[in-house]
Amino acid sequence: MRPSATLLSQLSRTARPNTTAFIGLGRMGYEMANNLFSKTLVNSNGSASFVVCDAREESAHAFARSLVDQFPGTQVKVVTTPAEAILASSTVVTMLPSSPHVRQVYSQDGGIIPALNTLSPDEVKSTVCIDSTTLAVDVARQTASEVIGLGATMVDAPVSGGVPGAKAGTLSFMVGGTEDAFKRVLPILESMGKRIFHCGPSGAGLGAKICNNMVLGVHQVVVGEAMLLGQKLGLDPAVLAGVINVSTGACWASSVNNPIPGALPDKEPPCTRDYEGGFATALMLKDMGLATAAGESVGAPLPMGKAAEQIYGKMVEEDAELARKDFSSVYRYLEEVSEGKRE
Ligand code: NAD
């Protein structure tokens, strides 16, 4: 006899305390979920089960197949809505593009918050939501207050470290939430990252992430400007980078992500692969926009942030290829302006 739908749902609710869900298996989420699930399996002696969900169902199926190939016998369920994911799991990690997707996954029909409303008070209390998306601080705070208002735990926990850090399990997490919430999520985040910072209350993790990325975005533009100026003054890029990187202009944009091939002889930044495989200009533009919008909402003047945002905006608007490439390709954009190929 086939089990009824109600019986199936009761069975999955029994396993809920030992089940973890991951929603958003894109470039970052796929690698993070792989680390989280592998380490959870080892720590639980194989008794844990997993749920995955992505708007592109094929991504979730591909992930589930890969986990079962690595760990035969593992329970991985693919679901089509965030509601199904939270009904089956007491822990959920979300890694989505930005604010509208987070609102959709948490608040709309078929989302996490309406589903939490159907659980028992004990089930809600045992629920932990970790959102690692980079999104607007006010949207994150609103979403967390709705989840927390029902009795569950939620933190914002955006990351830095990119896809290589996600794959290696060495991400930095910037966490916003209460002290208790931080203690609850710490072991979960440690399975995906190396440096876990408690930045303050809800929204503080995102605040830290957005400020850091604004610094990075401005640095990458000015390093592009300086490297171009140096070349035009007749300097060898490796000599110039060598000077900057041990002097007061030293920064990650110059010493790790330098935009001129050969400027860092012992490193292989994205420029050595025609700016492929790094952090997309379009994503940097999104983060600069989050910073300037936050600046406006609290009255913080950001003249450099706004100027850099404008340059990334032009790159994305004028050139779909540069939009997709690593944001250090701002150097190429400036070079083309200097050659009269762009305004
Ligand atoms: P991505 O676009 O590759 O992945 C996002 C995933 O979310 C996709 O698989 C998409 O199908 C899924 N998704 C979208 N809407 C959904 C919905 N309603 N329900 C379920 N799934 C949905 O993006 P990414 O590069 O993995 O980045 C994710 C987040 O991490 C972004 O906020 C980004 O700014 C941040 N981030 C990215 C990097 C990086 O190097 N890529 C580095 C640090 C932080």
Side-chain angles (χ1 to χ4, degrees):
M1 196 174 79
R2 292 176 61 186
S4 68
T6 320
L7 179 59
L8 276 178
S9 121
Q10 279 164 356
L11 286 174
S12 66
R13 293 279 278 278
T14 316
R16 189 174 185 272
N18 287 324
T19 304
T20 304
F22 206 106
I23 303 177
L25 298 147
R27 279 166 293 187
M28 295 291 287
Y30 191 100
E31 305 298 345
M32 291 165 69
N34 197 39
N35 278 317
L36 172 63
F37 290 0
S38 317
K39 288 177 195 165
T40 307
L41 263 181
V42 171
N43 294 338
S44 71
N45 292 323
S47 68
S49 58
F50 307 102
V51 169
V52 284
C53 174
D54 195 286
R56 276 178 271 153
E57 242 180 87
E58 184 38 39
S59 305
H61 282 289
F63 176 85
R65 278 195 300 273
S66 146
L67 196 75
V68 174
D69 282 351
Q70 292 173 69
F71 303 97
T74 304
Q75 305 285 322
V76 191
K77 191 173 170 194
V78 175
V79 297
T80 50
T81 65
E84 290 171 86
I86 200 73
L87 292 177
S89 325
S90 60
T91 300
V92 63
V93 181
T94 45
M95 188 54 162
L96 300 159
S98 198
S99 305
H101 314 84
V102 168
R103 286 310 282 170
Q104 192 178 11
V105 162
Y106 279 86
S107 303
Q108 291 180 9
D109 270 359
I112 289 174
I113 292 168
L116 279 175
N117 269 314
T118 69
L119 292 174
S120 72
D122 282 349
E123 285 172 319
V124 174
K125 200 162 171 239
S126 68
T127 302
V128 179
C129 299
I130 300 171
D131 182 32
S132 283
T133 309
T134 305
L135 76 158
V137 177
D138 55 346
V139 176
R141 282 192 177 136
Q142 173 64 29
T143 308
S145 87
E146 289 167 17
V147 170
I148 293 163
L150 293 173
T153 295
M154 180 159 185
V155 296
D156 48 295
V159 302
S160 76
V163 178
K167 196 168 188 155
T170 56
L171 291 170
S172 293
F173 281 90
M174 291 145 274
V175 183
T178 63
E179 194 67 49
D180 277 355
F182 180 71
K183 282 188 191 142
R184 270 182 88 175
V185 301
L186 187 59
I188 302 166
L189 300 183
E190 280 173 340
S191 61
M192 298 179 278
K194 240 194 174 134
R195 281 175 296 188
I196 325 285
F197 301 98
H198 186 202
C199 299
S202 185
L206 273 163
K209 163 78 185 171
I210 288 168
C211 290
N212 176 68
N213 274 27
M214 185 180 71
V215 172
L216 172 63
V218 170
H219 278 178
Q220 199 69 63
V221 174
V222 82
V223 165
E225 289 175 350
M227 293 305 295
L228 183 60
L229 173 63
Q231 290 222 94
K232 290 190 179 290
L233 294 174
L235 277 153
D236 178 329
V239 170
L240 177 56
V243 170
I244 292 174
N245 294 341
V246 294
S247 307
T248 43
C251 57
W252 186 90
S254 172
S255 63
V256 178
N257 212 35
N258 198 289
I260 302 191
L264 305 174
D266 52 350
K267 294 199 173 93
E268 292 182 351
C271 65
T272 61
R273 301 181 294 278
D274 195 22
Y275 302 97
E276 294 293 340
F279 185 57
T281 308
L283 277 183
M284 178 48 89
L285 176 63
K286 179 196 81 163
D287 290 358
M288 298 302 291
L290 292 174
T292 53
E296 259 157 43
S297 75
V298 296
L302 306 175
M304 299 301 290
K306 280 188 180 164
E309 181 190 9
Q310 238 178 30
I311 295 171
Y312 292 121
K314 286 184 89 174
M315 287 171 73
V316 169
E317 195 185 298
E318 292 172 18
D319 194 324
E321 206 173 298
L322 291 185
R324 194 181 54 68
K325 286 182 185 281
D326 183 71
F327 69 116
S328 61
S329 61
V330 66
Y331 168 80
R332 176 176 291 173
Y333 179 84
L334 295 169
E335 198 179 30
E336 289 174 2
V337 171
S338 80
E339 290 163 356
K341 293 183 190 157
R342 296 182 191 275
E343 290 198 353

